[in-house]
Amino acid sequence: MPVNLPTNLLRSFVAIVDAGSMLSASHKVFVTQSALSLQIKRLEELLRQNLFHREGRRLTLTPAGELMLDYARKVLVLHDEAVATISAGHFASPTRIGVAQDFAESLLAGLLSQFADHHPGTQIYSRVADTQDLLTLLDRGQLDIVLGFAQAADERAIAHTAMSWYGRQDLLEQAVLPLAVLEAPCRFRDAALRALDKAGIPYRIAVETPHLTALRTAVEAGLGITCRTQLFLTEPPLSSRRLPGLPRLSCILQTAPRLDMATGQLARLAHQAMAAL
């Protein structure tokens, strides 16, 4: 008899790997830590393989676990697409787009509105995350289109933009600069810290958040200065000899090798919107 792997066990397995611990994963899948442990034990029994090396509370994937992780992600993507498509009464694959946070706020609403005018019956799945995370999902076949940032010389560049410093001018008078940054990994955070370290300018991280909206609120409230692009604030960037220069960025659009007609239309609209920045 073939072995049937319940999707809730696969979802819990992926959640543990992504969250880094049983405790953190339990909040994501809404089960207790002990129940989560039993689910993983059941999955290992079905597979007759250990998926984790256990060293106290620390969990690392075994070779079998590494292999199973890739399959589990693929199974869950297909499962979720099937449920969403059938439940919604649509029988074509959803159009899946991933955007960096800056583009989510500045481009996504208008882009999807334009797309809906051309394809009102198409289901859309959108994901907002760090560019590198989105490109990883694209490589895994979990996204169709990615809008993000890359180095200025990137061959995929559609447009270029400058990194600049933003915040209240009076904060520059402090001996130790207060910074507001997004959680790592973050291209802008890395650029800011690298530039300040190179210039020998003392700083402290006053605000750290995973959300761009919270970062903007902190900067507008005068809690710290930050490094972003023109998409971040309508106010002009800071201008001061004390602040070091920052690198330029390219705005990139990457797509899956094959796109259906509707998704191809969205990619073209996205290209036009990004080129107009």
Side-chain angles (χ1 to χ4, degrees), residues 123-175:
Q123 181 190 359
I124 299 172
Y125 168 83
S126 64
R127 177 74 175 265
V128 179
D130 175 76
T131 301
Q132 193 53 54
D133 291 339
L134 295 174
L135 291 174
T136 298
L137 293 175
L138 182 70
D139 289 341
R140 291 175 178 164
Q142 295 174 247
L143 288 174
D144 302 307
I145 303 169
V146 167
L147 279 67
F149 292 110
Q151 294 181 350
D154 196 289
E155 61 183 11
R156 298 166 295 182
I158 294 173
H160 290 87
T161 186
M163 283 188 184
S164 301
W165 297 101
Y166 291 88
R168 283 206 332 219
Q169 193 77 29
D170 61 321
L171 294 179
L172 302 182
E173 299 173 6
Q174 297 187 19

Side-chain angles (χ1 to χ4, degrees), residues 37-53:
S37 181
L38 290 173
Q39 286 183 337
I40 297 305
K41 182 179 180 181
R42 176 57 180 157
L43 182 58
E44 289 178 327
E45 289 174 348
L46 289 170
L47 292 169
R48 298 182 182 180
Q49 294 282 347
N50 290 328
L51 300 177
F52 291 102
H53 291 299

Side-chain angles (χ1 to χ4, degrees), residues 9-275:
L9 302 187
L10 298 179
R11 203 175 299 279
S12 294
F13 170 58
V14 172
I16 291 170
V17 176
D18 289 344
S21 70
M22 288 271 190
L23 179 59
S24 298
S26 66
H27 300 306
K28 295 181 66 175
V29 295
F30 305 106
V31 299
T32 65
Q33 192 173 348
S34 58
L36 199 58
S37 181
L38 290 173
Q39 286 183 337
I40 297 305
K41 182 179 180 181
R42 176 57 180 157
L43 182 58
E44 289 178 327
E45 289 174 348
L46 289 170
L47 292 169
R48 298 182 182 180
Q49 294 282 347
N50 290 328
L51 300 177
F52 291 102
H53 291 299
R54 293 166 173 81
E55 301 173 9
R57 294 185 178 181
R58 185 168 176 268
L59 297 175
T60 57
L61 288 173
T62 64
E66 294 279 2
L67 183 60
M68 189 61 211
L69 178 62
D70 186 49
Y71 282 112
R73 291 191 193 278
K74 292 176 181 177
V75 168
L76 290 174
V77 167
L78 290 174
H79 171 274
D80 293 347
E81 285 183 5
V83 171
T85 301
I86 301 302
S87 298
H90 303 304
F91 301 99
S93 297
T95 292
R96 304 166 302 175
I97 182 171
V99 294
Q101 289 197 59
D102 303 67
F103 296 128
E105 296 193 357
S106 59
L107 294 182
L108 191 58
L111 183 61
L112 296 186
S113 177
Q114 278 186 282
F115 179 69
D117 289 341
H118 292 89
H119 302 277
T122 301
Q123 181 190 359
I124 299 172
Y125 168 83
S126 64
R127 177 74 175 265
V128 179
D130 175 76
T131 301
Q132 193 53 54
D133 291 339
L134 295 174
L135 291 174
T136 298
L137 293 175
L138 182 70
D139 289 341
R140 291 175 178 164
Q142 295 174 247
L143 288 174
D144 302 307
I145 303 169
V146 167
L147 279 67
F149 292 110
Q151 294 181 350
D154 196 289
E155 61 183 11
R156 298 166 295 182
I158 294 173
H160 290 87
T161 186
M163 283 188 184
S164 301
W165 297 101
Y166 291 88
R168 283 206 332 219
Q169 193 77 29
D170 61 321
L171 294 179
L172 302 182
E173 299 173 6
Q174 297 187 19
V176 179
L177 284 179
L179 296 184
V181 295
L182 291 184
E183 290 179 351
C186 172
R187 181 182 302 274
F188 297 95
R189 174 196 182 112
D190 293 344
L193 301 189
R194 189 161 48 243
L196 292 171
D197 286 335
K198 185 176 181 180
I201 299 173
Y203 61 86
R204 64 182 178 88
I205 294 180
V207 178
E208 185 176 32
T209 174
H211 303 297
L212 193 64
T213 301
L215 180 68
R216 182 181 295 107
T217 300
V219 171
E220 290 178 333
L223 299 180
I225 66 170
T226 196
C227 158
R228 301 303 297 181
T229 72
Q230 61 180 344
L231 300 174
F232 181 65
L233 282 178
T234 56
E235 288 80 4
L238 290 169
S239 177
S240 170
R241 292 183 178 179
R242 187 185 181 194
L243 293 172
L246 294 164
R248 289 179 63 79
L249 288 174
S250 63
C251 304
I252 64 169
L253 185 151
Q254 184 94 354
T255 67
R258 295 180 182 178
L259 302 178
D260 60 29
M261 183 180 69
T263 307
Q265 174 71 15
L266 180 57
R268 288 188 289 274
L269 291 172
H271 190 286
Q272 293 169 9
M274 189 175 280

